Amino acid sequence: LMLALGIAAKWLILGRLRPGEYPLWGLTYYRWWLTQRLLDTVPIHYLGGSPLLAVYYRLLGASIGRGVFLDTDALDAPDCVEIGDDAGFGSGASLSCCKVESGLLKVGTIRIGRGCQIGVNSILAMNTTMDDGAELADLSMLPSGRTIPMKEKWSGSPARFLGPTELGGPLRAKDLTRRAFGAGYAGLLLVFPLFAILPVFPGMILMTELDQNTEAYQFVLLSPALAVGFVVLMCLQIAVLKWLLIGRMKAGKIPVFSFAYVRHWLVDQLMQLSLDVVNPLYATLFLNPWYRLLGVRLGPRAEVSTASSISHDLLQVGEESFVADAVSLGAPRIHRGVLSLQETVIGRRAFVGNSAVIPSGTTLGDGVLVGVLSVPPREPADARKPDSSWFGTPAVFLPKRQVSGQYDEGSTFRPRRRLILQRLFIESFRVILPLTVIIALTSLLMSFLVDLDDADWGLDQIALIFPLLYLAYALVVGVFVIALKWVVIGRYRPVEKPLWNQFVWRSELVTSTYENLAVPFFADMLRGTPFLPAYLRLLGCRIGRRVFMDTTDITEFDVVRIGDDAALNNDCGPQTHLFEDRVMKISKVDVGERCTIGGGSIVLYDTCMEPGSTLGELSMLMKGETLPAGTHWEGSPARPVI
């Protein structure tokens, strides 16, 4: 039903979007914005890796050939996309046809030829072309207006010629086989939502019974217990299904049109479900036992955040290593209709920065650092070299890096038992707080609707009042997170704190609650409107007038300044902290008036974008750098565009 509503809304509200430039805040922009927000409510990321996603995008207006493999849902303007037969997209790949810049919504086209391959977390900017048989490597960005010629492989951000592609011809399944598997995936989609409901179902039944048998609302006091039960049952459910469906993963190749791949796909969707509904569990001490239960060989005192694309039994994370947020950790490669699984090894005390991509089959040596928005070096021997540091795409060797040596190992790597217990106590609140609020407010909302029904309200009357009830729900959530931030943290200031410190855990509690409560139930719907900057100001950000923000990726709010008429495009982020050497370093990000940050880009702390400067897509502004006024930069790390 949600898929159908999304398709209908797109055609009724927006129709066919055509390339051009449209005034920001104008009628076409509003129709585009409203359509995007409605489509965002449809959980199509669960279709990734199945034939159904291509069908869905065709119904939205995209021109997609036969045999196309889509493991991504990041097509922001389907009408402007043309994809040839047998093309393949890795997880997180993005076709970015739309961008807000200089007070305009700019819309362009993207053409992908037959048999092309786009790597994990790569981006094609507007008005780009890949000729037949071309390849774009992992975490690479093809700048606007560029073309990858036939059978060439390009890599990096910005992408450059790497060599001739080694892609072979497609192994296309028979039409009957495709239809049969497509029907099978459609059947699984009818079953899959049950996995999200089952862990909370017993508790909600209990809440309903108590509501019907009591006059007051004391049943809401059970919400924390239900939150704990939901997290435990969800984790156990995923672990049991993983072992029942695929057992222990082994390195090898799996044809896409096989029951083995379907089982593997289903486990991947269950892990995506965990990232959506028990996300606060990640980056806590409670995650490690669950990962080990799933088959990950996780060393003592290893820290793993919201990593994705994990093949559990083929992943080894060394003792005291650190894997930051949004890392693609061992994403398998799919080519010519075959999924390739290889072992991925992270060495002892290695560090993998935010949004990095570690391809399947990679081995990182002890003490190796792979920076933010970076990939390992191309040569396997370089990646295994102990204590080496690599940054950017392609990876550049850093002969020297900043080291925080003023903290002893008791506050970074080897904490005392007292600190472990304190962290467990604070993180228990972090894990259950968002779910507790969701369960309590949802129960009250349902109870109120039942009371209206008992009072002989008709369905038409309830339907009319429901949007107001949800608005009240969202406002309560938004106000709760504001209060939590100011009570628990107060005002963020530039600071350095070791990992094993109460300030770090309190800060992560606030960040997690913001990301898992305020963002999905309130802030996400305000992206691209003047209301999101207004809300972020209440959290401490200094944001000017007429700022366009299509991102909610802000953590330490008070150290962010954004000038008038700036534009922050989808999923970019001012990253105001890093955890290098297990030390949380917080400092300022200054984005000047009329600046533009492209989709997927990261601006590190201690940086300044002077008025009118621009940072392209999938680009990174390094610590301590300044972009001069009126200049255009792109790449990871960023370099000037002349």
Side-chain angles (χ1 to χ4, degrees):
L1 180 61
M2 293 180 72
L3 290 168
L5 288 174
I7 294 166
K10 188 267 180 185
W11 290 109
L12 290 173
I13 296 171
L14 182 61
R16 188 172 295 278
L17 183 64
R18 302 190 184 280
E21 296 184 351
Y22 306 95
L24 185 61
W25 320 121
L27 179 59
T28 299
Y29 169 81
Y30 173 73
R31 290 161 50 225
W32 171 81
W33 167 84
L34 181 58
T35 302
Q36 293 294 109
R37 295 290 79 81
L38 290 171
L39 291 177
D40 284 346
T41 66
V42 184
I44 60 169
H45 52 286
Y46 293 119
L47 303 181
S50 79
L52 300 181
L53 190 54
V55 174
Y56 174 77
Y57 275 121
R58 288 190 193 105
L59 293 173
L60 287 176
S63 174
I64 300 179
R66 299 172 58 197
V68 171
F69 180 87
L70 286 173
D71 198 12
T72 179
D73 61 347
L75 280 69
D76 60 4
D79 299 308
C80 302
V81 170
E82 179 183 343
I83 303 174
D85 295 347
D86 304 307
F89 292 73
S91 61
S94 176
L95 301 185
S96 183
C97 295
C98 302
K99 182 178 184 178
V100 170
E101 185 176 25
S102 303
L104 296 170
L105 169 64
K106 299 180 178 180
V107 182
T109 60
I110 294 177
R111 179 189 170 276
I112 309 295
R114 296 192 306 273
C116 292
Q117 292 290 322
I118 295 90
V120 173
N121 288 3
S122 291
I123 288 183
L124 279 80
M126 67 174 66
N127 300 322
T128 52
T129 300
M130 293 179 66
D131 289 339
D132 294 350
E135 181 177 3
L136 185 65
D138 294 340
L139 202 64
S140 297
M141 184 271 293
L142 187 62
S144 180
R146 302 298 298 274
T147 296
I148 302 181
M150 183 182 298
K151 296 186 178 179
E152 287 189 5
K153 181 175 183 178
W154 286 33
S155 177
S157 176
R160 295 290 185 267
F161 174 73
L162 183 63
T165 182
E166 299 175 0
L167 302 175
L171 295 178
R172 183 181 291 175
K174 296 179 180 179
D175 288 344
L176 182 60
T177 302
R178 288 182 177 279
R179 294 191 187 100
F181 274 92
Y185 283 110
L188 286 174
L189 284 182
L190 297 177
V191 177
F192 186 76
L194 295 177
F195 298 132
I197 295 172
L198 286 175
V200 77
F201 189 71
M204 295 305 293
I205 291 295
L206 175 61
M207 296 276 269
T208 302
E209 289 294 325
L210 291 173
D211 179 27
Q212 292 178 348
N213 291 287
T214 56
E215 293 296 327
Y217 295 97
Q218 298 96 324
F219 63 90
V220 176
L221 298 176
L222 286 175
S223 298
L226 295 189
V228 173
F230 176 77
V231 172
V232 172
L233 290 175
M234 176 62 74
C235 291
L236 289 176
Q237 172 186 254
I238 292 174
V240 169
L241 288 170
K242 181 264 179 185
W243 288 105
L244 287 176
L245 287 169
I246 60 177
R248 186 172 296 280
M249 295 181 187
K250 296 180 180 179
K253 298 181 182 295
I254 303 174
V256 169
F257 289 97
S258 68
F259 290 111
Y261 174 79
V262 173
R263 296 197 304 271
H264 187 278
W265 174 84
L266 188 55
V267 171
D268 281 349
Q269 305 316 304
L270 289 170
M271 289 307 299
Q272 181 62 52
L273 180 65
S274 76
L275 283 167
D276 289 343
V277 299
V278 291
N279 185 279
L281 184 71
Y282 287 79
T284 71
L285 296 179
F286 298 105
L287 179 73
N288 292 13
W290 183 49
Y291 261 27
R292 293 189 182 106
L293 181 62
L294 289 168
V296 178
R297 287 165 290 166
L298 200 62
R301 296 175 297 281
E303 299 276 343
V304 180
S305 189
T306 51
S308 61
S309 305
I310 290 176
S311 299
H312 301 96
D313 304 290
L314 300 176
L315 176 62
Q316 178 179 338
V317 180
E319 177 183 359
E320 298 172 352
S321 290
F322 194 105
V323 179
D325 284 333
V327 172
S328 177
L329 194 55
R333 177 177 171 82
I334 296 181
H335 173 52
R336 299 187 71 213
V338 176
L339 174 76
S340 298
L341 297 169
Q342 295 177 279
E343 187 171 17
T344 303
V345 178
I346 309 297
R348 179 180 181 272
R349 292 200 176 184
F351 177 90
V352 183
N354 298 64
S355 303
V357 171
I358 308 299
S360 177
T362 299
T363 297
L364 296 183
D366 295 345
V368 170
L369 179 146
V370 177
V372 175
L373 206 67
S374 302
V375 294
R378 293 194 183 104
E379 294 297 327
D382 291 337
R384 292 194 293 266
K385 184 179 179 181
D387 300 316
S388 58
S389 300
W390 304 91
F391 213 94
T393 312
V396 176
F397 175 70
L398 294 180
K400 185 177 180 180
R401 78 185 198 219
Q402 182 182 3
V403 177
S404 299
Q406 69 267 40
Y407 301 105
D408 60 25
E409 292 212 342
S411 61
T412 53
F413 288 98
R414 297 179 178 271
R416 295 177 293 277
R417 178 171 295 184
R418 174 177 58 83
L419 288 175
I420 295 174
L421 292 176
Q422 288 178 4
R423 181 175 171 184
L424 285 169
F425 177 74
I426 294 175
E427 288 186 342
S428 64
F429 284 95
R430 169 181 168 175
V431 171
I432 69 170
L433 184 59
L435 282 168
T436 297
V437 175
I438 292 169
I439 291 171
L441 290 178
T442 302
S443 299
L444 289 172
L445 179 62
M446 293 173 65
S447 177
F448 186 71
L449 292 174
V450 170
D451 290 342
L452 292 179
D453 185 57
D454 291 342
D456 294 328
W457 279 53
L459 287 177
D460 54 340
Q461 294 173 299
I462 293 176
L464 287 173
I465 199 175
F466 185 80
L468 297 176
L469 295 175
Y470 184 82
L471 179 60
Y473 184 125
L475 289 174
V476 169
V477 164
V479 170
F480 176 81
V481 173
I482 292 171
L484 181 74
K485 184 265 180 181
W486 290 107
V487 170
V488 173
I489 290 294
R491 187 175 298 279
Y492 281 106
R493 293 179 174 85
V495 71
E496 287 190 10
K497 295 289 184 181
L499 174 63
W500 291 89
N501 181 279
Q502 283 194 19
F503 172 82
V504 174
W505 310 327
R506 289 188 286 112
S507 178
E508 292 294 293
L509 166 65
V510 171
T511 299
S512 177
T513 307
Y514 164 75
E515 292 175 343
N516 293 284
L517 192 59
V519 168
F521 288 93
F522 184 71
D524 232 8
M525 292 174 286
L526 305 180
R527 287 164 49 193
T529 75
F531 302 110
L532 180 58
Y535 179 65
L536 293 174
R537 290 186 197 107
L538 296 175
L539 286 164
C541 292
R542 291 175 295 160
I543 302 178
R545 296 171 297 174
R546 300 176 301 277
V547 170
F548 169 83
M549 293 191 69
D550 195 15
T551 179
T552 57
D553 189 12
I554 295 180
T555 49
E556 291 77 30
F557 309 97
D558 306 280
V559 292
V560 174
R561 189 194 81 87
I562 303 171
D564 295 346
D565 301 299
L568 280 68
N569 284 274
N570 60 302
D571 297 327
C572 71
Q575 187 166 322
T576 49
H577 77 263
L578 287 175
F579 267 110
E580 292 178 54
D581 303 311
R582 296 201 170 200
V583 175
M584 187 184 199
K585 306 169 189 177
I586 299 174
S587 196
K588 298 179 180 179
V589 170
D590 190 346
V591 179
E593 293 77 13
R594 304 180 307 283
C595 288
T596 300
I597 304 177
S601 292
I602 292 177
V603 179
L604 295 181
Y605 60 76
D606 283 337
T607 54
C608 176
M609 295 181 64
E610 293 184 346
S613 58
T614 300
L615 186 66
E617 286 79 13
L618 201 65
S619 300
M620 178 176 58
L621 185 58
M622 300 274 283
K623 289 187 294 184
E625 291 193 334
T626 296
L627 299 190
T631 57
H632 177 55
W633 296 60
E634 65 185 18
S636 177
R639 62 211 73 175
V641 178
I642 300 174

